[in-house]
Amino acid sequence: MENNQLNEGLENSSPKSLYDKITGSMLLKIFVIFFLTLILLIPMALIGDLISERKQRETQVSTEIARKWGLEQVVSTPVIAVPYDAVHETIKPTTDGKQTTERIVVKEWAFLLPENSAITAEVQPEPLKRGIFQAIVYNAKVTVKGNFKPFDLTKLDVPATDLKWNEAKMVFGIQDTKGLSANPNVQWNGQGFPMDKYFQELDLFTNNLTTNLNLTGNEDLNKPFQITMDLKGSKSLNFLPLAKQTTIHASGNWANPSFNGNFLPEDREVNETFRANWSIPDFNRKLAQQWTGEPVALYNFLGVDLASEDVQMTDFPEPKVVGAAESSDKLTSNDYDMVQINFLPNVNNYQKATRVTKYGALVIALTFISLIFMEIIKKQRVHLIQYVLIGFAMVLFYALLLAISEHIGFNLAYLLAAVATILLIATFVRAITKDGKSAWIFGAILALFYTFIFVLLQLRDYSLIVGTVGLFIILAVLMRLSTKINWYQFEK
């Protein structure tokens, strides 16, 4: 009997094989878990691609809705255009080797901008849905009024007698004529005039609306004008100030407008509705008050969201020169030279989902560290396969968040996805450890992590300081907890 007991003691105290030492090494396991965390970044990247794909699909649907309703609109102040005949001389070689001068009569224009202009826009945005996607569209009642002053003929470089006053036109431009619900109401000196779209000689705006003024002379330009129209559009409403002094008053029933462009409002009020006012002089305008030459587009509109952090000045093409005379050469305007009111959706689910995925590696790493500490303290082994399953459960959280947020909104989707993930992992830990208390503690730790990330999402301006302080506190807690563990026991 004593010999049997001695033999059993010798068997139990026999040295472990090299394989048992390697597979049972906690230090090696920590290294493998670190490598597993890096491997899990691959499915995280795939989820990021899925978010980008869904966001692109939303953009396509929104663009399709906008194309049928009305695109982003650009409203500009009108321009007076008076034609004249200009003689251009060109030297051409003849068949006998000599040169001859050829004269060509070209129709050119003298252009004049308003002395002052007041734009009023009453906007009613609303979401227009197709399936689970939507676009922000609006109806706007726009009024543009002001007055011109006569040409300064001493600076015009064209004799007044050469100007064809009876063919003078007032040119007004918008971006998408599909957004017009009816013909604009145009008044010149209190008298109504029809507006024509099909005059192709003047290419000042994307879509030109012209009115024949039938002037008799330069002094007839000293008259007031008013243009009223009902305009439909989507995403943003833009104004191009061209007058010597331009005022803009915009109001609407939207709680989340974004004021962008080269000019910020002098005063604004945003709650359930918005109201904003601009007063813009001509100092930043790229055009002279008057110029002559052939018609050239006054602006190049790309429809860029100027509130986006990804927009760079290099995104805009090289500007063209407007005006024939060297003294009046100016550059074409672009989106940055406009006043832009961007009607943002109340919640951008894809943008927030993208921000959440950026914290994915951090949450996975902290979860695995917490699981290792629990394994050491409770002296309950957790297999690597079980680490893999827990890691995939945390990755699946982001897919759940994306799928649910498309239907019920981001905040509620985040709550449901977080609760489902926490319950799944906590019950799995309960099955591994056979200890309900450990499962509850681990679930509370996960809830703390997900709450911490959600708070960071809400604090856009203070996310860096709050996130840094939060990680510092988490690191301090882990360092304090590590002092309670005899790490040298793993060398035995």
Side-chain angles (χ1 to χ4, degrees), residues 346-475:
N346 293 328
V347 177
N348 192 326
N349 294 331
Y350 299 110
Q351 183 179 8
K352 288 192 173 183
T354 301
R355 293 182 62 196
V356 170
T357 56
K358 293 181 180 179
Y359 299 101
L362 175 64
V363 175
I364 293 173
L366 291 177
T367 302
F368 281 167
I369 292 173
S370 302
L371 192 59
I372 291 173
F373 273 78
M374 188 194 71
E375 182 178 345
I376 295 173
I377 294 173
K378 294 294 184 181
K379 295 182 174 57
Q380 178 68 48
R381 307 289 287 181
V382 180
H383 198 274
L384 283 175
I385 296 298
Q386 294 167 331
Y387 274 92
V388 172
L389 294 175
I390 292 175
F392 278 121
M394 288 187 292
V395 171
L396 188 60
F397 160 79
Y398 301 97
L400 277 175
L401 174 61
L402 174 63
I404 299 175
S405 64
E406 290 185 336
H407 298 275
I408 63 174
F410 181 83
N411 291 345
L412 185 56
Y414 190 96
L415 176 63
L416 292 178
V419 169
T421 304
I422 292 170
L423 289 177
L424 176 63
I425 297 178
T427 53
F428 187 55
V429 171
R430 171 69 177 82
I432 295 172
T433 61
K434 311 299 182 184
D435 184 6
K437 182 178 179 181
S438 298
W440 278 107
I441 293 176
F442 195 75
I445 293 173
L446 285 178
L448 178 63
F449 290 159
Y450 285 121
T451 303
F452 177 60
I453 299 301
F454 184 79
V455 171
L456 289 182
L457 290 178
Q458 311 305 314
L459 303 175
R460 297 188 60 179
D461 295 334
Y462 301 97
S463 60
L464 178 59
I465 181 64
V466 174
T468 304
V469 172
L471 290 177
F472 184 85
I473 295 174
I474 292 174
L475 179 60

Side-chain angles (χ1 to χ4, degrees), residues 103-146:
R103 295 185 176 183
I104 302 176
V105 178
V106 179
K107 187 176 184 179
E108 294 186 352
W109 300 79
F111 299 100
L112 178 66
L113 297 181
E115 185 70 14
N116 58 72
S117 178
I119 303 175
T120 303
E122 298 177 3
V123 194
Q124 294 182 343
E126 60 178 327
L128 193 60
K129 292 187 176 182
R130 174 176 293 180
I132 62 173
F133 302 109
Q134 68 177 16
I136 305 302
V137 301
Y138 59 81
N139 288 283
K141 189 172 185 61
V142 180
T143 301
V144 183
K145 59 183 179 179

Side-chain angles (χ1 to χ4, degrees), residues 178-315:
K178 190 186 287 87
L180 287 174
S181 302
N183 290 330
N185 182 9
V186 182
Q187 292 186 2
W188 174 260
N189 195 26
Q191 182 180 356
F193 282 83
M195 188 163 271
D196 183 15
K197 176 183 181 296
Y198 302 101
F199 187 77
Q200 302 297 330
E201 292 185 33
L202 291 171
D203 190 18
L204 301 179
F205 306 103
T206 303
N207 287 288
N208 295 293
L209 302 175
T210 60
T211 297
N212 297 320
L213 297 181
N214 297 321
L215 305 178
T216 59
N218 191 29
E219 294 301 323
D220 286 350
L221 290 172
N222 193 13
K223 298 290 192 304
F225 68 88
Q226 178 172 310
I227 302 173
T228 304
M229 59 184 168
D230 294 326
L231 191 63
K232 296 190 298 183
S234 60
K235 188 180 176 181
S236 70
L237 178 59
N238 304 267
F239 304 97
L240 179 62
L242 296 179
K244 183 174 289 187
Q245 181 67 40
T246 303
T247 59
I248 302 173
H249 174 76
S251 60
N253 58 340
W254 195 251
N256 194 29
S258 176
F259 305 111
N260 306 303
N262 203 25
F263 312 94
L264 292 178
E266 292 187 346
D267 63 273
R268 72 184 77 180
E269 182 180 345
V270 179
N271 36 62
E272 292 301 319
T273 60
F274 75 90
R275 177 191 57 80
N277 297 298
W278 291 261
S279 181
I280 305 169
D282 65 339
F283 299 114
N284 295 317
R285 189 180 63 190
K286 291 183 177 179
L287 292 168
Q289 186 66 19
Q290 62 183 38
W291 72 95
T292 58
E294 296 181 2
V296 179
L298 301 185
Y299 69 84
N300 183 17
F301 181 72
L302 298 180
V304 176
D305 181 6
L306 300 179
S308 174
E309 300 175 355
D310 301 328
V311 177
Q312 304 291 335
M313 284 300 296
T314 55
D315 296 336

Side-chain angles (χ1 to χ4, degrees), residues 75-93:
V75 177
S76 66
T77 48
V79 179
I80 294 293
V82 183
Y84 64 92
D85 291 332
V87 178
H88 292 180
E89 295 184 353
T90 58
I91 299 176
K92 292 186 177 181

Side-chain angles (χ1 to χ4, degrees), residues 39-65:
I39 293 297
L40 288 175
L41 294 180
I42 297 177
M44 288 293 300
L46 295 177
I47 291 179
D49 293 340
L50 178 61
I51 295 174
S52 299
E53 179 184 343
R54 299 297 290 177
K55 184 176 182 180
Q56 183 178 5
R57 173 59 179 163
E58 181 194 42
T59 302
Q60 292 175 349
V61 174
S62 299
T63 303
E64 185 179 352
I65 295 173

Side-chain angles (χ1 to χ4, degrees), residues 21-38:
K21 289 182 178 180
I22 293 177
T23 56
S25 173
M26 178 58 69
L27 295 179
L28 179 61
K29 188 173 185 178
I30 293 175
F31 175 78
V32 173
I33 292 173
F34 172 76
F35 183 73
L36 174 62
T37 304
L38 297 180

